[in-house]
Amino acid sequence: MKQYEIRTHVNVLNWEEMDASERELIQRAKQATESSYSPYSHFQVGAALRLQDGEIIVGSNQENAAYPVGCCAERTALFWCGANRPDVHITHIAIAAQTQGHFTPSPIAPCGMCRQALLEVEQRQGTSIKVLLYGENGTHSID
């Protein structure tokens, strides 16, 4: 029998506890919610990726009439990077969500498909991606 232990350390940070680059990334994720096409769920999600060279790539969720078929903000940004910047590592991802004109009080986590996509990007590039989940009441930071 093999046994594995998996631990996740989550830091809950307020705005002042984050460095300027993390705040900038979260701001870009929040701005990305504005380009969401979500006429069915009315749940706007934005993601911002920081690449190893400092470039920031954003994505937002895109729905269609075959709801819930669509693409999440995280995968929109990840797949753009895979298609356009495949040789540049992703160091961070920030995710924010809003509904009815208000950002969520608590952070939202990526869905299972997005978690799998993030894992495979980490495996491909050989380095981990720091995750920042924004909520009005605090940001969860996961290394």
Side-chain angles (χ1 to χ4, degrees):
M1 173 175 87
K2 289 185 178 181
Q3 183 177 17
Y4 295 97
E5 182 175 335
I6 299 172
R7 292 180 182 212
T8 302
H9 297 272
V10 178
N11 295 311
V12 181
L13 308 170
N14 63 41
W15 196 249
E16 296 76 27
E17 292 174 315
M18 290 180 273
D19 66 37
S21 68
E22 292 171 331
R23 289 193 299 267
E24 176 189 25
L25 200 62
I26 290 168
Q27 281 301 116
R28 295 289 298 275
K30 290 171 70 175
Q31 290 169 353
T33 64
E34 298 298 329
S35 67
S36 166
Y37 179 69
S38 48
Y40 307 101
S41 70
H42 306 287
F43 194 71
Q44 301 165 281
V45 181
L49 307 175
R50 182 175 306 281
L51 305 184
Q52 190 174 32
D53 63 6
E55 183 178 3
I56 295 176
I57 304 300
V58 298
S60 59
N61 60 319
Q62 304 295 311
E63 299 175 352
N64 62 53
Y67 183 76
V69 175
C71 196
C72 299
E74 301 92 327
R75 285 180 292 126
T76 299
L78 288 168
F79 294 164
W80 187 96
C81 284
N84 295 285
R85 302 291 310 275
D87 297 328
V88 181
H89 290 186
I90 299 166
T91 61
H92 294 72
I93 183 170
I95 303 163
Q98 67 166 304
T99 186
Q100 299 176 349
H102 301 285
F103 285 96
T104 57
S106 297
I108 63 157
C111 72
M113 289 184 289
C114 290
R115 290 178 192 195
Q116 183 65 35
L118 279 163
L119 173 66
E120 292 192 28
V121 169
E122 287 179 325
Q123 290 172 338
R124 232 179 5 254
Q125 67 185 27
T127 58
S128 63
I129 298 170
K130 184 172 185 173
V131 178
L132 299 167
L133 306 174
Y134 174 77
E136 286 283 297
N137 296 331
T139 297
H140 292 183
S141 173
I142 306 161
D143 292 322

